[in-house]
Amino acid sequence: MFEVIVAAEFSSAHALRHYHGVTEPLHGHNFRVEVVVQGKRLRNKVKYLTDFVALEHALQAIVKPMDHVNLNECPPFDHENPSAENLAYYVAKKLKQSWHAAGARIASVTVWETANTAARYRPTNRS
């Protein structure tokens, strides 16, 4: 099994709703999003799993609108909590819609809030 990893960063504010019964104070993070795609075979004469550049562009298109905003004011996080878990799920869902490479699939999306804390979403075949 081969894996390709790309990452992107964005800075945003958020406040989790219902955090210990209240909405936590608005605060910011320098988020890092890491996407892992995997597949069993390398493609074409180049012998790669997928094109780094195409995957990076697809990821950037998803995270750019989240840069330097209050996530609580941006769909879908104006209704969903902008937790790292929900951010990872959102990126995976959007990437599944916008990026395709024969023989490769999204294995995981990890969203780092700090250098020491992250949440990871691993899509199943059905999600």
Side-chain angles (χ1 to χ4, degrees):
M1 186 69 64
F2 294 95
E3 292 186 333
V4 167
I5 303 164
V6 298
E9 296 178 352
F10 66 98
S11 299
S12 293
H14 75 160
L16 297 181
R17 299 171 194 92
H18 312 294
Y19 184 75
H20 299 287
V22 298
T23 298
E24 70 178 350
L26 185 68
H27 63 283
H29 294 286
N30 293 318
F31 291 95
R32 179 175 171 80
V33 180
E34 188 176 278
V35 173
V36 178
V37 299
Q38 64 181 200
K40 294 180 180 178
R41 295 196 179 118
L42 301 181
R43 296 176 38 208
N44 62 39
K45 291 180 181 179
V46 178
K47 296 296 181 197
Y48 61 23
L49 178 62
T50 189
D51 183 355
F52 279 119
V53 175
L55 183 54
E56 286 175 320
H57 282 276
L59 179 57
Q60 279 296 332
I62 295 165
V63 301
K64 187 174 181 175
M66 296 190 289
D67 191 35
H68 287 85
V69 299
N70 176 351
L71 292 173
N72 293 70
E73 296 174 351
C74 301
F77 305 111
D78 53 342
H79 293 97
E80 280 292 327
N81 248 336
S83 64
E85 293 87 346
N86 281 337
L87 287 167
Y89 176 75
Y90 173 78
V91 170
K93 184 174 78 170
K94 296 297 270 185
L95 201 55
K96 189 174 181 181
Q97 294 169 356
S98 65
W99 173 84
H100 304 283
R105 68 171 195 86
I106 301 165
S108 68
V109 175
T110 305
V111 173
W112 293 86
E113 281 196 357
T114 71
N116 301 318
T117 58
R120 179 170 291 142
Y121 174 71
R122 294 180 190 274
T124 62
N125 289 338
R126 288 173 269 150
S127 60

